[in-house]
Amino acid sequence: MTDGAECVRVDLGPRSYDVRIGAGLLARAGAEIAPLLARPRVAVLTDETVARLHLEALRDGLGGIAMTSLALPAGEATKGWPEFSRAVDWLLAGKVERRDIVVAFGGGVIGDLAGFAAAVLRRGVRFVQIPTTLLAQVDSSVGGKTGINSVHGKNLIGAFHQPSLVLADIAVLETLPARDFLSGYGEVVKYGLLGDAAFFDWLEANGPVLARGDRAARQAAVRRSVAMKARIVERDETEEGDRALLNLGHTFCHALEKATGYSARLLHGEGVAIGCTLAFELSQRLGLCSQEAPSRVRAHLRAMGMKVDLSDIPGELPGAEALMSLMAQDKKVVDGRLRFILARGIGEALVADDVPGDAVLRLLEGALAGR
Ligand SMILES: NC(=O)c1ccc[n+]([C@@H]2O[C@H](COP(=O)([O-])OP(=O)(O)OC[C@H]3O[C@@H](n4cnc5c(N)ncnc54)[C@H](O)[C@@H]3O)[C@@H](O)[C@H]2O)c1
């Protein structure tokens, strides 16, 4: 039963695809994927946690479509060359051909790695995303950014490769640990903050029931997030301009993730939430928005039980200067100037290419002093 599944179309000419969103999509994965197949078989890349919880349900849902699968270790450390080459070699050993479909079944780690594997396998095969975390459903499974991490930083190796279909089964989120769910919620809030003030109002009212498991609220939040991402990606598929708005909070987040060694001290969406708070505070200090905006951001994140401040990150952090230099290594640096996504208010983000370094330094000094 799909229980009222909805569909968001990502309109990219010959690379267009549907994102289907609803509870129970796993059970009808076969019917959804069959129209894409040249022959009735798929190769599934997943992680060990998702495999244990949901792989049999996917196998059942695929019905008459034969499935082979490779389960990689769960976690960000998988998103590097060793597991990537293992995955590509497994696909080649399984004789996955140009017209076949690779399925990415997991969170953002598996989606990014499997999408990149599909992008380079035999110079490109199609792939289907079946995202199983909130973060992957609202963000990483849509838009075609695929890739892996390097010793030089996150996501530095990759390709734009759009999926052929995305199946976001809301029911699968019910096995997600609360912390991972809330981490994904950081990206949901980001959409309200960057371009949809009414959505942020809605989240203030509905966030708590959504976190407690209300399927209708979850589906509405995923649909609205995906729709916003789809419209931005349609305008700017390869991030020449507007797509950068999706990086609200991310320059701070990437520095903090690097400072905490991409460890369990800070999950990606938690870093995004802290980064959004910092971006709004910076916007207020630069006179772009009123004090009310950062206060509302902070109040909502606190009400949801999320990380908000640098003091919410356990353990030591480097000083403000060191955090600045980590930001300068971020790939969004253009000609040595720091690019930030700032805001004129809730729902009104903008790309600022020339942010004065000393304002950022003072902001970080203040934030660290609050620890
Ligand atoms: N491509 C993009 O546009 C994009 C956008 C945002 C983030 N990302 C990437 O996404 C990654 C983070 O994604 P993530 O937060 O999904 O992390 P993840 O893939 O590591 O998943 C988080 C944890 O949840 C587990 N899990 C997944 N689904 C589950 C389920 N239904 N029930 C129980 N446990 C489950 C996983 O095994 C893992 O331990 C980062 O590498 C980030 O760079 C990519």
Side-chain angles (χ1 to χ4, degrees):
M1 282 292 294
T2 50
D3 210 356
E6 296 173 275
C7 179
V8 175
R9 180 88 176 151
V10 185
D11 204 345
L12 293 168
R15 295 177 304 290
S16 297
Y17 53 95
D18 286 341
V19 182
R20 296 198 211 285
I21 303 156
L25 281 166
L26 219 51
R28 43 172 289 117
E32 297 285 349
I33 294 173
L36 299 170
L37 297 178
R39 54 177 175 161
R41 55 173 277 189
V42 291
V44 177
L45 290 170
T46 186
D47 76 30
E48 286 161 359
T49 305
V50 175
R52 184 168 44 77
L53 294 166
H54 299 292
L55 194 61
E56 281 319 303
L58 176 61
R59 191 189 300 280
D60 290 348
L62 285 169
I65 299 170
M67 177 189 109
T68 53
S69 64
L70 175 66
L72 302 172
E76 187 71 30
T78 286
K79 229 179 88 172
W81 285 121
E83 295 298 336
F84 176 74
S85 68
R86 187 178 155 209
V88 171
D89 283 335
W90 175 78
L91 292 168
L92 289 171
K95 305 211 166 20
V96 174
E97 295 174 4
R98 280 296 294 275
R99 293 180 313 151
D100 288 330
I101 291 276
V102 173
V103 174
F105 185 45
V109 165
I110 290 299
D112 282 10
L113 181 145
F116 185 38
V120 298
L121 189 80
R122 302 187 191 280
R123 299 195 178 85
V125 303
R126 292 166 305 151
F127 79 115
V128 169
Q129 289 267 21
I130 307 186
T132 62
T133 63
L134 181 60
L135 181 138
Q137 294 194 351
V138 299
D139 193 354
S140 60
S141 65
V142 178
K145 276 193 183 178
T146 72
I148 56 173
N149 304 327
S150 141
V151 288
H152 298 283
K154 249 180 82 102
N155 299 330
L156 292 178
I157 304 150
F160 283 100
H161 187 49
Q162 299 291 346
S164 300
L165 175 69
V166 182
L167 298 176
D169 187 336
I170 300 296
V172 172
L173 301 178
E174 284 159 21
T175 55
L176 204 57
R179 187 178 173 199
D180 285 300
F181 185 87
L182 279 185
S183 168
Y185 187 77
E187 299 278 8
V188 174
V189 171
K190 178 194 79 176
Y191 288 110
L193 294 178
L194 78 88
D196 189 346
F199 185 37
F200 187 76
D201 295 345
W202 186 90
L203 290 171
E204 284 180 318
N206 293 280
V209 291
L210 186 157
R212 281 199 295 276
D214 185 285
R215 281 191 182 175
R218 288 182 171 194
Q219 182 164 328
V222 173
R223 182 189 32 77
R224 206 144 164 181
S225 301
V226 168
M228 176 167 302
K229 180 151 187 186
R231 299 296 86 83
I232 292 175
V233 169
E234 285 165 358
R235 290 205 299 274
D236 178 19
E237 186 179 359
T238 54
E239 199 169 316
E240 313 292 325
D242 263 13
R243 187 166 177 167
L245 294 175
L246 293 170
N247 295 324
L248 177 65
H250 281 63
T251 305
F252 291 112
C253 170
H254 287 158
L256 293 170
E257 282 185 291
K258 203 159 188 182
T260 49
Y262 306 102
S263 68
R265 281 174 66 197
L266 184 73
L267 303 181
H268 178 72
E270 294 173 338
V272 171
I274 295 173
C276 285
T277 312
L278 288 169
F280 269 78
E281 271 167 17
L282 183 58
S283 304
Q284 188 265 323
R285 283 172 183 230
L286 295 173
L288 284 167
C289 72
S290 70
Q291 178 55 53
E292 194 218 338
S295 301
R296 261 182 89 190
V297 176
R298 175 180 287 283
H300 179 54
L301 296 175
R302 276 269 173 258
M304 294 296 292
M306 297 177 68
K307 289 187 168 59
V308 179
D309 293 309
L310 297 187
S311 55
D312 297 326
I313 303 172
E316 290 297 308
L317 283 180
E321 301 260 8
L323 283 175
M324 285 285 286
S325 69
L326 289 178
M327 278 192 265
Q329 284 163 27
D330 194 89
K331 62 188 185 302
K332 280 162 222 63
V333 173
V334 179
D335 297 334
R337 289 178 308 180
L338 275 182
R339 162 180 282 196
F340 280 90
I341 311 305
L342 299 178
R344 291 202 179 81
I346 285 171
E348 293 177 73
L350 59 117
V351 181
D353 267 323
D354 222 351
V355 174
D358 58 336
V360 182
L361 191 64
R362 280 200 302 276
L363 174 80
L364 289 171
E365 282 167 354
L368 286 162
R371 278 168 66 80

